[in-house]
Amino acid sequence: MIELDTIIGIKTATAVDVNNLLVPSNSLAAHLRQYSEPALFHSDGAGKYHMSLSGSLFRARFNDRYFVFVSRHQMTLGNYEHDQIALLNYDKKTLVTSHRAVFPDNASDEYDCAVYEFTDLIKSGKLPATSWYDLKTDWVRDHLPKPNLVVAIGYPGHRNSIDYEAAHYGASPNAVWGVEASPVIDGRLSFVPKPEILFEPAGMSGCPVFGCSLDNLAPTCFFAGILTNATQNRFNFFSFSRMRPLLERLLASG
C-alpha cells in the first residue's frame, strides 16, 4: 500500500477528501489552516484593543450552530474568565466574545477541553459564517479511522505576539505533520512529528489536530481532536470522541 506521507509529498493532482470537498494534497495544510486561529481574550487594559493571547483555538460548526474549542488549561494559565475568549472580525477590526460556554464540572486536568458558542454573533452579522469546519461528517462516523498521517495547525508563541506599543498584531501559523504514536498521558492520543521540528510548540495548545487515512487508496481527512500538551518530540491531544459530551450539552441547551 502506498504510504500517505508519500502521497502528500507529491505535488500532483492527488486530492484529499475533506468533508466531501476534494482538496489538492499540496494545498491541504493551507485549506485546514482556515479553521485554526490564535486564542484571543478580551482583557481590559491590555493595549489599545484590550486583547491578549493564550494559545490557539479550533473553529467548527454543527448544522446551523458555531463553536470554538480550546484546551481548558489555556484559561487557567492566563487566569481568564470564560466570558473573555473572543474572535477577531478582521474585516471590521472588531473583537467579539462568546455568548455561551460549557466546560467540565470538576477541576481535574484530565479533561482538558472547553467549548464556546458564537452562533448569535454569526446570525447578527458580527462574524462571518465562512471558514468554520463542518463537524457533521465526523459526527456520524461509528468511529474515527486509524490515521496514516496526522497534522496539527496552530500558532506557536515564537511567531505570534502582540506589540502593544505599536498596536500591531500578527498571526503566523505552523503545520506540524506526524505519525500516530502510543499515548503517554492518560486520556490523550499522541503523534510524533515527522519530519522533526526545530522550534518549541508552546502556544499551539488548543489548535485542531486532523487525521488523514487511506480508504481504498482514496485519502480522507477528518477532525481528530485538539492539542493539549506538546514538546518538540511528541504532540498529545484530546480526542474528538471525548469532546462530544461537552458539545452535546451545548446542543441540548438550545
Side-chain angles (χ1 to χ4, degrees):
M1 179 179 289
I2 301 173
E3 293 294 329
L4 187 63
D5 53 354
T6 301
I7 293 177
I8 294 295
I10 298 174
K11 307 275 187 194
T12 67
T14 302
V16 182
D17 183 342
V18 183
N19 278 329
N20 298 314
L21 175 67
L22 294 179
V23 179
S25 59
N26 58 319
S27 300
L28 182 60
H31 176 80
L32 296 176
R33 173 255 176 270
Q34 66 185 307
Y35 309 122
S36 176
E37 286 193 13
L40 297 174
F41 295 84
H42 182 271
S43 306
D44 289 334
K48 179 180 178 180
Y49 299 104
H50 306 287
M51 69 180 188
S52 53
L53 279 167
S54 181
S56 306
L57 59 79
F58 171 55
R59 295 160 31 115
R61 63 183 174 90
F62 187 80
N63 294 334
D64 61 346
R65 296 175 67 176
Y66 298 80
F67 306 97
V68 157
F69 297 79
V70 297
S71 60
R72 192 165 56 98
H73 76 261
Q74 294 169 243
M75 313 293 296
T76 56
L77 287 177
N79 292 318
Y80 295 114
E81 299 295 333
H82 289 282
D83 60 357
Q84 287 181 264
I85 193 164
L87 291 178
L88 182 63
N89 185 322
Y90 290 89
D91 292 333
K92 297 182 178 180
K93 294 182 174 58
T94 55
L95 199 67
V96 295
T97 55
S98 168
H99 59 85
R100 187 181 288 121
V102 62
F103 41 88
D105 296 325
N106 58 63
S108 170
D109 291 335
E110 194 272 335
Y111 203 98
D112 195 4
C113 180
V115 188
Y116 299 86
E117 185 162 8
F118 284 81
T119 303
D120 288 357
L121 288 309
I122 298 289
K123 292 182 176 179
S124 65
K126 294 181 180 178
L127 285 172
T130 55
S131 300
W132 298 76
Y133 182 83
D134 189 352
L135 290 170
K136 192 171 184 178
T137 300
D138 298 331
W139 189 269
V140 299
R141 296 181 192 271
D142 293 333
H143 61 276
L144 293 181
K146 183 176 178 62
N148 298 76
L149 194 65
V150 183
V151 60
I153 302 179
Y155 293 80
H158 76 284
R159 297 181 61 184
N160 297 272
S161 62
I162 300 174
D163 186 334
Y164 292 106
E165 291 186 6
H168 173 75
Y169 162 60
S172 182
N174 262 104
V176 178
W177 298 90
V179 293
E180 186 181 28
S182 298
V184 293
I185 300 176
D186 288 342
R188 302 288 190 275
L189 298 178
S190 299
F191 74 90
V192 174
K194 288 192 176 182
E196 296 180 0
I197 60 173
L198 301 178
F199 63 89
E200 290 296 332
M204 293 186 69
S205 291
C207 79
V209 178
F210 297 94
C212 298
S213 66
L214 284 172
D215 183 8
N216 296 322
L217 296 184
T220 300
C221 183
F222 59 91
F223 173 57
I226 60 168
L227 195 69
T228 54
N229 316 83
T231 66
Q232 287 179 294
N233 301 315
R234 183 177 292 264
F235 279 49
N236 304 289
F237 62 97
F238 199 71
S239 71
F240 177 44
S241 59
R242 298 201 65 207
M243 294 162 58
R244 285 181 61 141
L246 283 183
L247 184 56
E248 288 169 345
R249 282 171 55 186
L250 264 181
L251 293 170
S253 70

